[in-house]
Amino acid sequence: MNGLMKKLSVAASVFAVALTLSATRAEAQGIYMVQGGRTTVTLSNAFLADLTTLKITPTTIYSSQLYENKVFFPITSGDINLANAAGQIVHSGGIALTAGTKEIRLDSFILTTTGEQSYITALAVANGKFIGRINLFDVELSSDLKFPLVPENGDFFLSGSKLNLDPAGAAALNDAFDVKTFEDNLYIGYAGSVVFVPLGADGL
């Protein structure tokens, strides 16, 4: 093994140890990696009425599912502090809203709960133009949540989270369909998530 290979090997070993120590320290503080799960969004009658009025049809993007007024989004990764639910939860899939030749696609949702205002962002593509990641929904976590979160058999629930349309989300929808129907703070519905964390994760 030449000198360069030895240096790279040592660097890789040091990096691996650092990652292990970092993960161990985070778990000691009650912060755990999210390993999977599912979020279910139940759409509100008000939002569905707006879609009907504008003749907008919702469909799902690969890995998401739509059944009646519920949309299911797989959880793929993230980190969560069990002491206070602060963290990020990353989803796959998404939803497309289509009216005639106009369409907006929203995917790769990320729930962020690290600040005073929790929110959901999404990647947006409207009428063939990439908009980028936008603040889509403002999230109000349920007042019934009890901390710390205590997983059972490696999972816990975040239920009853209220979703309201963020101003950026409202602007994106209105621009996509050339309307003024979607109002800031429109009640979109509520969300519930089952979140998988490592077995033995403990917020106590």
Side-chain angles (χ1 to χ4, degrees):
M1 183 180 294
N2 59 38
L4 176 59
M5 292 300 294
K6 287 182 178 180
K7 290 180 180 179
L8 289 175
S9 178
V10 170
S13 298
V14 171
F15 182 65
V17 170
L19 284 179
T20 301
L21 291 175
S22 177
T24 301
R25 187 177 301 112
E27 290 185 0
Q29 297 173 346
I31 303 172
Y32 291 90
M33 181 179 294
V34 173
Q35 298 181 328
R38 185 179 73 176
T39 293
T40 301
V41 176
T42 302
L43 300 174
S44 71
N45 291 333
F47 181 60
L48 291 173
D50 283 346
L51 297 186
T52 300
T53 298
L54 298 172
K55 298 181 180 179
I56 295 174
T57 301
T59 56
T60 53
I61 297 169
Y62 175 74
S63 79
S64 290
Q65 295 177 311
L66 174 64
Y67 179 72
E68 296 181 343
N69 65 333
K70 299 181 186 296
V71 191
F72 306 96
F73 301 97
I75 293 172
T76 60
S77 60
D79 286 282
I80 190 78
N81 188 335
L82 298 179
N84 54 15
Q88 283 194 325
I89 298 177
V90 182
H91 301 77
S92 63
I95 190 168
L97 303 175
T98 307
T101 60
K102 297 179 179 179
E103 179 184 75
I104 186 167
R105 189 174 77 236
L106 304 162
D107 61 67
S108 305
F109 294 89
I110 299 177
L111 167 63
T112 299
T113 57
T114 53
E116 291 185 7
Q117 175 63 67
S118 299
Y119 58 91
I120 291 175
T121 64
L123 291 178
V125 177
N127 300 317
K129 180 181 178 182
F130 180 67
I131 299 175
R133 184 164 290 280
I134 62 171
N135 279 25
L136 186 60
F137 304 132
D138 295 325
V139 179
E140 182 181 328
L141 297 179
S142 172
S143 59
D144 292 333
L145 276 180
K146 295 181 179 180
F147 300 115
L149 301 169
V150 181
E152 294 184 10
N153 299 318
D155 64 63
F156 65 88
F157 292 91
L158 290 175
S159 59
S161 299
K162 183 179 178 181
L163 307 182
N164 293 317
L165 195 58
D166 185 89
L173 293 178
N174 286 327
D175 289 347
F177 298 105
D178 195 23
V179 298
K180 297 181 180 179
T181 305
F182 299 101
E183 300 178 351
D184 298 353
N185 208 40
L186 173 67
Y187 175 53
I188 296 297
Y190 62 91
S193 301
V194 56
V195 184
F196 300 156
V197 290
L199 286 172
D202 190 351
L204 298 176

